[in-house]
Amino acid sequence: MESTSIFFTSFKTTDLWFLAEAAYRTLLISGISISLGTVLGLIFGWLLHEGRLISTFILSPFLDIFRSVPLIIQLVLAYNFAPIIGLNIDPFGSGAIVLTIYTTALVANVVRGGIDSVGIPMRRAARSLGMTYWQDMIYVVSPIGIRAVFPAWVGVALGVMKDSALVSVLGYVELLRASQILITRTQEPFLILALAGAFYFALSFPIARFSERLEKRWSQ
Amino acid sequence: MDYNFHWRPVFRSLPDLLNAGLVTLEVATLSMVFGVIIGIVFAIIRLKMRGPIRWFVISWIELARNTPALFQLFFFGFGLGAFGIHLTPFWIVLAGLTFNNAGYLAENFRGGFQAIPETQMRAARSLGMNASQAYVRVIIPQVLRTVYHPMTNQMVWAVLMSSLGMLVGFRELSGETQFLASKTFRIFEYFAVAAVIYYVIVKIIIGGSRLLSFRLFRY
């Protein structure tokens, strides 16, 4: 018994700080990927809507790959491909890159749906009022399109936040990985997993509820 | 770039990978079957019932939707260990996926049930059907039609999520790939082939569901 007590120690308050720091890392990597992915997704979504040939034959199938292959496989592939072409990227970097591309692929589709949801007569009316293409985009398409797909975008963002847990396979210590480390040391799986789950839930549930309410209000 | 790709060991073990792909399909399909059954029941409970059962159902749904799938797998893997319940990797993945699918599908079904006009139920009842007959013969077939596409998406998600089995020691496509890759250190090559297999599986599911919808939904 003497020897095991060195390896297994009970859950202490300092471990809460360890978990909090890991939660910060989860927020960091998902925040970076969601914001970058949203910007790129806006551009690619617009391309999907506008560029007919390019989007149907190149862009659309390419983005489709990222939605048809498990994220965990994408992460392992990217992490192991970087050294092959001579790059040396740490787990955070490759995780952020893969999550960004993944977000881009999902957001591009949402944005395309948003632009498509604005009726052609509406856009013709805008143009015939003398608006330029970009004025039409900014003053007519974006207010209507954003209302139509904002809840879908929230869903994507929350999904990426939850999927960021998978970056742990590369060795990046985010919340779920940190809880695994603590479980190995303290042998208290239930308590620690409940803490980690509560954090994800506390972040995701209010935002999901808020977007649901917004969707209801906008549809009236 | 001085890396030599070695695809031969991967192609030699291709039969193993394809078999593992079947395991992936099997566990995803089973989790969908259970998920659909539980999802329908939960949707009805959430819409029609009051009291503690409804609260249990709502907390299941919200937990499934608002925590990472990996967390749910870990919970069934390690969390239940605290109560002395130790599941085999297959059951961990099946239980985790079913928990997740049921939560998402219940919400889809709830939307489907709300889309069916009340008059359908009354018409069925006035024809002399009892409540369960009306549900099975009139309401649920129509609901299945409206949630057909979300269900296809959920099936794709189930296949993609089953790859998390790799992290709890289940030898489905990803787990088998990792096992084989760690024997030869051809990690990139193995996972690239696994990615292709996943892509093909997903395309088969989407294409098959489209074909089936032509057959099912013609008038």
Side-chain angles (χ1 to χ4, degrees), chain A residues 100-154:
Chain A
T100 302
I101 299 175
Y102 180 70
T103 318
T104 304
L106 295 174
V107 171
N109 250 31
V110 169
V111 169
R112 196 237 307 251
I115 301 179
D116 286 347
S117 75
V118 182
I120 301 233
M122 182 91 78
R123 306 201 44 191
R124 286 205 186 123
R127 292 305 296 275
S128 62
L129 283 174
M131 288 186 176
T132 65
Y133 178 82
W134 288 110
Q135 279 177 327
D136 166 39
M137 271 291 171
I138 292 166
Y139 296 113
V140 178
V141 175
S142 66
I144 302 174
I146 286 173
R147 279 183 172 219
V149 294
F150 183 73
W153 178 81
V154 172

Side-chain angles (χ1 to χ4, degrees), chain A residues 64 67-68 70 72-73 76-77 80-81 84 102 162 166 169 176 189-190 193 197 200-201 204-205 209, chain B residues 1 62 65-68 70-71 74-75 78 83 104 157 160 163-164 167 174 187-188 192 198-199 202-203:
Chain A
D64 188 52
R67 288 180 285 130
S68 307
I72 205 168
I73 305 261
V76 174
L77 277 178
N80 287 289
F81 184 69
I84 291 178
Y102 180 70
K162 284 180 276 174
L166 298 187
V169 274
L176 213 51
F190 189 77
L193 273 179
Y200 283 110
F201 190 83
S204 167
F205 181 70
R209 265 295 155 90
Chain B
M1 184 171 145
E62 297 300 349
R65 289 165 60 90
N66 289 306
T67 54
L70 185 58
F71 162 79
F74 279 174
F75 187 83
F78 315 128
F83 303 111
Y104 278 91
W157 276 111
L160 298 186
S163 64
L164 302 181
L167 302 178
S174 300
I187 299 172
F188 182 81
Y198 271 112
Y199 186 80
V202 167
K203 288 297 145 193

